[in-house]
Amino acid sequence: MKATQRDFASTARRAVDQCGIFFFCGPDEAGASAAAQSVTELLADAGERIEISGGDLKKDPALLGDEARSGSLFGGKRHIYVRANGDEAHEALKTLIETSDAGAGEAAPVLVVATAATDKSRTAKLLEKRKDALVAMFWPPDLGSVAGSVRQMADAAGLRLSGDLAERIARAAGLDVRLAQSEIIKLATYCDASPQSPVALTAEDLEAVGAATEEDSFMPLVNTVLKGETGKLDGELKRMREHGMNPVGVLLAVERRSAQLAQITSQLGPRGSLDGLDRGAKARLGIFWKEEREIQEQLRSWHRRKLDRLGPKLMQLHKDLLGNSQSAELLLAQGLTEIARFAARR
């Protein structure tokens, strides 16, 4: 079974009823992660969440089947969440399928978010024709689609908002639906809104507690890091601390841009240039005119082999931040410094 972000919402509920393996891929890691969360929420009894890295599965393909068929620590249901890079989970999923077909017993649902993989990857080809698996491909969203998602989230939370406010929230979240969702939750709490008692959101409400404006957003820091501007980095990290930026939010913005660079690099090939793309092609790659110069400079710092090394680094840093929330700001600063120095190498 296959889906894209365009038809995922209509496919997800049916897929949850008949699938045990979910493979979310594509250059929009934020959208893939949000889709995995949606499936988790649709499961009749998601139970305990067991997280496994793609690197661990690559080293030990049998680990996935062992975990998927083990009982929860508390005797209830469980589901397996895998954050992988490319085809790291391929052999583990193949082993899980083979043992299931051989009668090894019922397995817990397995959700894989695969950064740098596509629906043409080996893992996707392994799963796409199976009735018990879903392959969903996610491209970087445009402003209109994220604004539409923001309005759907707001409706579900009991917030009524105009199209202009939805676009402001989408922009401030860097077109990341996970960050937009957290803003909607925050705004609904501030406005004391609920589905039973809807409240109209005003521009004043958004100014009071909403996401940072574009000028105060994460992107100056993201651009500094990915261009390897080590001389500017201390100032940007200081700004991050002064503005109280969410470390995970900052890292998600870095992950999103790195995924975009990987997609652009793949599209252009070894000798291509952004100058050779027309406006439509740039739009499909998520390149807005205000960001084009920054992206051009970042592409000079990140060829394919360097991007291949960046993906696992970001995954490990993400895991470290989630596991050490009290030290997240320090860990992020250290990680971004390493990445900036690596970007500066030619």
Side-chain angles (χ1 to χ4, degrees):
M1 186 184 300
K2 293 185 70 173
T4 66
Q5 66 260 55
R6 183 170 298 178
D7 59 10
F8 174 74
S10 60
T11 304
R13 189 169 296 278
R14 175 166 54 92
V16 166
D17 291 336
Q18 69 181 67
C19 296
I21 299 174
F22 304 85
F23 185 72
F24 305 99
C25 59
D28 181 20
E29 191 271 341
S33 296
Q37 181 60 35
S38 297
V39 167
T40 301
E41 293 170 356
L42 287 172
L43 293 172
D45 183 3
E48 182 185 5
R49 173 165 160 164
I50 306 299
E51 295 194 14
I52 310 176
S53 72
D56 288 341
L57 293 183
K58 188 174 182 179
K59 294 175 186 174
D60 182 7
L63 176 63
L64 181 60
D66 292 342
E67 290 290 350
R69 296 190 179 96
S70 297
S72 167
L73 179 64
F74 302 103
K77 295 285 188 178
R78 56 165 38 186
H79 66 281
I80 312 299
Y81 186 96
V82 178
R83 186 177 288 275
N85 185 39
D87 279 317
E88 284 181 332
H90 177 270
E91 291 304 315
L93 289 168
K94 182 179 178 183
T95 300
L96 176 67
I97 289 170
E98 289 173 349
T99 53
S100 293
D101 291 346
E106 183 180 358
V110 175
L111 295 82
V112 181
V113 176
T115 303
T118 72
D119 58 356
K120 306 299 182 186
S121 65
R122 288 194 305 146
T123 310
K125 294 297 184 184
L126 172 70
L127 302 173
E128 64 183 8
K129 295 182 180 180
R130 296 187 63 90
K131 294 181 180 179
D132 59 353
L134 171 68
V135 174
M137 176 82 168
F138 294 85
W139 294 98
D142 56 33
L143 177 60
S145 65
V146 177
S149 296
V150 167
R151 298 194 76 171
Q152 292 176 359
M153 297 171 192
D155 288 342
L159 279 178
R160 295 175 181 152
L161 71 164
S162 67
D164 287 345
L165 291 181
E167 287 193 359
R168 284 182 59 184
I169 293 170
R171 282 196 190 96
L175 302 188
D176 189 315
V177 290
R178 293 170 294 186
L179 294 180
Q181 178 69 72
S182 68
E183 289 302 321
I184 291 298
I185 293 172
K186 183 167 63 176
L187 288 163
T189 301
Y190 174 78
C191 295
D192 196 24
S194 69
Q196 295 74 32
S197 302
V199 175
L201 182 72
T202 67
E204 289 74 20
D205 295 329
L206 187 56
E207 290 293 337
V209 296
T213 63
E214 189 171 2
E215 290 74 23
D216 293 328
S217 70
F218 308 143
M219 292 315 297
L221 173 55
V222 172
N223 289 330
T224 295
V225 169
L226 292 179
K227 286 193 293 183
E229 295 178 324
T230 54
K232 295 182 179 180
L233 186 58
D234 284 346
E236 282 299 322
L237 292 175
K238 180 180 178 182
R239 187 176 70 85
M240 177 184 76
R241 292 190 293 269
E242 290 175 346
H243 285 271
M245 294 182 187
N246 183 298
V248 175
V250 173
L251 183 59
L252 287 173
V254 177
E255 290 176 358
R256 175 177 169 77
R257 174 54 61 83
S258 67
Q260 183 183 22
L261 293 177
Q263 183 193 4
I264 294 170
T265 299
S266 177
Q267 180 76 21
L268 293 178
R271 299 186 181 181
S273 168
L274 284 188
D275 295 332
L277 300 179
D278 60 28
R279 185 178 299 177
K282 291 177 181 177
R284 287 189 292 274
L285 290 168
I287 303 171
F288 304 115
W289 66 269
K290 289 184 178 180
E291 301 172 333
E292 185 170 345
R293 182 175 62 82
E294 303 285 357
I295 291 174
Q296 282 268 31
E297 294 181 14
Q298 289 160 21
L299 287 171
R300 296 188 190 106
S301 297
W302 295 96
H303 52 68
R304 179 181 293 277
R305 289 190 300 277
K306 288 180 74 173
L307 285 168
D308 288 344
R309 294 178 63 184
L310 179 60
K313 171 66 177 177
L314 291 174
M315 290 171 60
Q316 184 59 52
L317 184 54
H318 195 122
K319 183 177 180 180
D320 291 343
L321 295 190
L322 295 178
N324 301 274
S325 58
Q326 292 183 335
S327 303
E329 189 175 275
L330 176 60
L331 290 170
L332 178 65
Q334 293 172 340
L336 294 184
T337 299
E338 291 176 10
I339 292 169
R341 289 172 178 167
F342 187 53
R345 300 176 194 164
R346 300 299 183 185

